[in-house]
Amino acid sequence: MSDLLEVKGVVKRFGGFTALDGVDLNLKVGERLGLLGPNGSGKSTLVNCICGTLLNDEGSIRFDGREVSKLPAHKRIRAGLSRSFQLPKPFASMSVVDNLCVPILYAANHRVGIRKCTPSEATDEAMVILKQIGLAAKAQEMSGGLTQVDMRKLELARAMAAKPKLLISDEAMAGLSNSEVDEILTLLFTMKEQGIAVIMIEHIMRAVMRFSERVAVLVAGKKIADGEPEAVMRNPEVERAYLGE
Amino acid sequence: MEISSSLILNAIVSGILLGGFYAAMAAGVSISFGMLDVTNIAHPAFIILGSYVAYIVNSWWGWDPIVIAIVCSPLFFLLGMGLYRIYYYAFERKGQQSLRSLAFFFGILFITEVVLILIFGVDYRLVKSVYTETTWQLGEVDLPLRLVVPFIFSMIMIFGLNMFLSRTFFGRAVLAVAQDQFALRLMGVNPVKIKELGFGLSIAIAGIAGSFLIVIQPVQPSIGRDYIGLVFAICVLGGMGSIKGALIGAMILGLAESFTSTFFGPSWAPAVSFGLLLLAVAFKPSGLLGR
Amino acid sequence: MSNKAFIVAAYAFAAVLVAVSQFVPNDYFFSAAYTVLLFVILSTAWNILGGYTGYVNFGTPAFFAMGAYTTVALFKLSPTLPLWVMIIGGTLIAGLTGLGMGALTLRLRGVFFSIATLALSVVLLTFVVNWDYAGGARGAYVIPPREVPLGFHRYIQFLYLVMVFLSATAVIIARMIETSTMGRGLEAIRDDELAAECCGVPTLKLKLMSTTISGALMGMAGTTYPYFVSYVEPASTFNLSYAVNSIAMPLIGGMTTWLGPLIGALLLGSVQQVVQVTISSAWNLLIVGVLLVLFVTLAPEGIMGLWFNWRKKQKLKAGGSK
């Protein structure tokens, strides 16, 4: 059986600068992968190429058995891919619950094998998700006025509301306090229970080590390590990338 | 119509003369839109304002329009700074740029036009100076001085501006503020102040270009709108924040318009600049020399 | 209120407006009302792309003119064609223009889109000015039929009826979009297009639908115009007043809902009619421009926004005093 995600030889250039230089990455159904790398190594570019917000110049991206590298982003989302943004991008003039209705109505409703729901059912489903993540009390608030950690939760919840098979969490914990990090981690673990594969991009090591089954490291557009978390962290090349010579 | 070499030669020369002037009109937009990311579609309104200031001073005291331009430019500079202040407090600070700021500048454009109509009416106005009626002859080529003099001063202004931006601290700060505001802060420079000064500069240039405009042709309040396409097309074609690029874009536009006018008639001229704008914007938003 | 109920209510209200107008002795009322209703349609149409989707269109005059000139062309083809044919024809052509404009420009960042709409508007104007079949710069005459349909006394009364029902139609369509799933998608696009795309919203398709519907309705407003003025020429058809009003009215009324453009058009339109007659049309435009700038800087949510905020404060007060 083929993997859920198969990224092969992906290259992305911006003018004269090569952000991704032939990256391979595979992910099985339900697998939890931590993606590490120093700033500017190409992690976000890779995420953008996988999701379709950028189109890769070379290489192939197969998701759930289909070649998706030429599809627009919304079609990939409808196929079961989902992502959160590093800097939360809420629909600021819409309420918290309405924010979740968008992916329910536009992504989940178009997933093969999932029952379509009406707009009012979508609101109910959104409330269920909000209860799960502890934001039910703020359902009617404008999403633009939330606290940092609540916005991160909403960002993840929105990605989850699309009923994805693979969710990419892009530095959801950056800049949060210890207890807030744990809140986000709990959220991510609920995805494990639902069998959703997760690619977690983080700099907070304890979170990565606790959460990931596998770890991959990207440096200057190339993957330099990919395997068991303990083994990868002991890899001298990885040490060098983070700590210098 | 027979296509003689003198017809073509004259079309080329007027195209170049016009192009140089168009660069002066658009240089301000290269700064405000290309570098400072402020979509000031009211820019042509300030050009027209400059024209009318030149008209008033010229008809009362008989000063030369170019002199008026230089003397009045500090006023336009201050006007630009004030306008940016309002823009900043109302929009940029809250991050609500696009839709509302566009409507805002559209309103400013509109108000300026209507106020000018209320004061001056819709008649065409022009200026008189020593060279406005003279035409030199260079072989088969006509060189009307009302085109040549603004061209010369436009080129002086363009080159001066380019040097200013690349050599002086303030100029380089303006170039920098477009790319990395945070780094600028770390250097102890207030990006907002720089943007304010930069925007003031763009309006001052507009005012000067206005004086040039009324030398070249008679002016009426509504013609400002016709130039929106022109100045933005040049800015986009030229790569957004590049003065050199704007000059090249302006030359292309000047030549295109000149040839269209000569061979198809002047009523098609607006379609040229706006059509080129459409193409530029659709196919190459980063322009010819862009980032 | 469900869609069906609203449709019935809107058309019933329209019928009432027509019936009541029969008691108005003043003929000027019908001319003024025609103009105000024109702005109702234009503002409502503009707001679908502007307020709901977040894309500012400066080319309203172009779409309006597409509708008007389709009527002129059809009239020249066959002067006895009934009005409803002109309306459908103009709406379709304007809709296609909207689709074309969208296809050309919607991949652009919001600001470039707006500049492109301005450019398109001028290019269209230049073509029309040079199009001799429809009269070109010299203009064209469109003569209303001698027999006024539906037995009204004067043709302008018939036009008033048509415009009332067209306005109701435009408002109904806007409300249907606003309350539908498509409306949510457009809102998401307006707030954050990239995030919307990543939530499964087919942004390009929805934006194209938005420009097409918006353009079609703006053209619809223009289809009866030749019969209103009788003499159609480019300068007055591509009037800047339409451009500025179609932006100012939704902004002042409130861009997030169908009520906003309606209120903005009724208020501002009526004020303009009064000013135009008592002072001058230049002062008229100045007032619109100043109001636009004031509202956009100080009260960008418009009258509806002020109303919603006031309501919220009232609710908080009521909750606090318990």
Side-chain angles (χ1 to χ4, degrees), chain B residues 33 37 39 41 86 90-91 94 96 98-104 106-108 110-111 113-115 117-118 225-226 228-229 232 236 240 267-271 274-275 277-278 281-283 285, chain C residues 50-51 54-56 58 104-105 108-112 114-116 118-120 122-123 126-127 129-130 240-241 243-244 247 251 255 280 282-283 285-286 288-290 292-293 296-297 300-301:
Chain B
F33 185 47
D37 217 15
T39 316
I41 56 169
I86 301 176
F91 309 104
K94 303 183 197 155
Q96 294 274 22
S98 35
L99 192 142
R100 292 175 187 166
S101 66
L102 271 174
F104 171 72
F106 189 66
I108 300 283
F110 202 68
I111 292 176
E113 180 176 325
V114 173
V115 165
I117 291 181
L118 283 171
R225 273 179 275 136
D226 298 337
I228 299 178
F232 277 91
V236 172
M240 292 297 271
S267 65
W268 283 100
F274 281 96
L277 172 61
L278 261 178
V281 145
F283 292 112
Chain C
Y55 277 80
V56 175
F58 286 125
L104 270 179
T105 59
L108 304 173
R109 188 164 66 105
V111 150
F112 288 107
S114 300
I115 296 177
L118 189 66
L120 194 78
V122 174
V123 170
T126 314
F127 273 102
V129 163
N130 289 294
L240 186 69
S241 154
V244 97
I247 299 176
L251 200 118
M255 290 194 286
S280 82
W283 276 102
L285 292 181
L286 183 62
V288 176
V290 170
L292 171 61
V293 171
V296 86
T297 38
E301 325 241 290

Side-chain angles (χ1 to χ4, degrees), chain A residues 51 53 72-75 77-78 82-83 85 89-94 98 101-103 105-107 119 123 142 158, chain C residues 180-206 312:
Chain A
C51 292
T53 44
H74 74 270
K75 289 220 171 95
I77 308 301
R78 290 179 174 188
S82 194
R83 68 164 303 173
F85 285 91
K89 291 155 86 57
F91 300 126
S93 77
M94 293 165 75
D98 282 341
C101 285
V102 175
L105 290 170
Y106 277 98
T123 313
M142 281 300 129
R158 209 172 55 181
Chain C
S180 70
T181 304
M182 177 179 168
R184 294 273 178 95
L186 292 179
E187 247 190 304
I189 293 175
R190 178 191 67 206
D191 282 350
D192 197 314
E193 195 166 325
L194 191 61
E197 179 79 19
C198 290
C199 283
V201 177
T203 54
L204 188 62
K205 184 173 115 178
L206 281 188
K312 227 192 273 178

Side-chain angles (χ1 to χ4, degrees), chain C residues 68-123:
Chain C
Y69 274 95
T70 305
T71 298
V72 170
L74 286 175
F75 177 80
K76 292 234 168 211
L77 209 62
S78 160
T80 51
L81 275 179
L83 188 58
W84 62 265
V85 173
M86 316 283 206
I87 294 178
I88 297 197
T91 309
L92 277 176
I93 300 274
L96 281 173
T97 310
L99 184 63
M101 177 184 87
L104 270 179
T105 59
L106 278 176
R107 291 166 210 270
L108 304 173
R109 188 164 66 105
V111 150
F112 288 107
F113 169 81
S114 300
I115 296 177
T117 61
L118 189 66
L120 194 78
S121 166
V122 174
V123 170

